[in-house]
Amino acid sequence: MENVIKKYLPYAVIILAVYMIVPLIFIPEALENFSAVAYYFVFPATAIVCAAVYSAKYGLDFLFTLIAPVIYLLSMFVYNGGFTTTNVILTAAYLVSGIFGLFIGDIAFGDKRREQEKKEKAEAEEMLLQANRRDKIEKERRELRAESRSKNNNSEDYDFDYDKYTSDIDKPQVKSTEDEIDDILSEFGSSDKKR
């Protein structure tokens, strides 16, 4: 959603500025009769140019064509007093102008974008092929290592008997006799008598 807003915002600001500022020029009574120039030529031209530039850069996006009519609704309420038959027809005309601009931009200026997309696609495919090759080579290396390890494990040189060494762990290391125990106790007992 954030990406869509970033793409639409510059064009929406331009359309908003034109649709809100140009009618201010025609407010004085001397220029009031020329307001049709704005509604029939300037506004559609703005919608066409913005849509063509957008389409050349990002491709066909019919949601973009709704920007001009929605902004015109705001201008319509501010300057023209609300819904009238003429205003509804103009809203539809600005929608059609936006669609027309999208097609003009895609046909006339979209070649560079399409070439760039083909180039990026080819680069991505090449990177994918290289990654697949590396994976295949790495897999072969791992298989060779596993085979060599299994050969080493099965060889006669590798004959280590763990049971032989672990069996002595549980046995007591020092065997004491009863005489040694009596000597230790007598020494302990004699040390208590001296105190």
Side-chain angles (χ1 to χ4, degrees):
M1 182 66 179
E2 187 175 311
N3 190 25
V4 172
I5 292 172
K6 283 183 180 179
K7 290 189 322 186
Y8 289 169
L9 189 62
Y11 305 101
V13 168
I14 291 170
I15 293 171
L16 179 68
V18 170
Y19 282 27
M20 296 305 282
I21 294 173
V22 170
L24 292 175
I25 297 170
F26 299 107
I27 287 179
E29 286 186 35
L31 296 174
E32 193 173 89
N33 294 333
F34 295 102
S35 65
V37 171
Y39 296 122
Y40 299 130
F41 297 108
V42 176
F43 289 179
T46 303
I48 290 170
V49 170
C50 286
V53 172
Y54 176 85
S55 178
K57 189 171 184 180
Y58 298 109
L60 292 175
D61 183 3
F62 291 102
L63 186 62
F64 180 83
T65 60
L66 294 176
I67 293 174
V70 168
I71 292 176
Y72 178 69
L73 290 174
L74 177 65
S75 176
M76 177 177 65
F77 285 118
V78 171
Y79 297 113
N80 297 339
F83 286 105
T84 62
T85 306
T86 305
N87 289 337
V88 172
I89 291 171
L90 286 175
T91 304
Y94 300 149
L95 179 67
V96 171
S97 298
I99 294 171
F100 181 68
L102 282 177
F103 284 116
I104 287 176
D106 191 50
I107 291 169
F109 306 111
D111 293 336
K112 290 181 183 177
R113 178 185 44 79
R114 282 189 285 277
E115 288 175 12
Q116 181 67 23
E117 287 174 354
K118 284 182 184 177
K119 184 179 176 184
E120 289 173 358
K121 184 178 179 182
E123 289 174 0
E125 288 175 354
E126 181 62 31
M127 288 175 60
L128 184 63
L129 286 173
Q130 289 176 356
N132 286 340
R133 287 184 205 128
R134 280 192 306 254
D135 288 345
K136 186 177 180 182
I137 292 169
E138 189 63 32
K139 184 178 179 183
E140 290 172 359
R141 286 182 186 166
R142 277 187 257 134
E143 289 173 356
L144 289 174
R145 285 184 203 143
E147 287 176 15
S148 67
R149 285 183 191 147
S150 66
K151 287 180 184 177
N152 287 341
N153 289 342
N154 294 335
S155 69
E156 293 178 10
D157 295 337
Y158 192 79
D159 190 24
F160 186 78
D161 188 11
Y162 285 102
D163 292 333
K164 176 181 173 185
Y165 293 100
T166 57
S167 64
D168 290 338
I169 291 175
D170 294 335
K171 294 181 182 176
Q173 297 295 326
V174 178
K175 294 183 182 179
S176 7
T177 62
E178 286 186 30
D179 293 333
E180 290 175 353
I181 295 172
D182 288 338
D183 287 340
I184 293 171
L185 287 174
S186 65
E187 285 177 22
F188 181 72
S190 64
S191 62
D192 283 341
K193 292 178 185 176
K194 290 181 183 177
R195 287 187 191 167

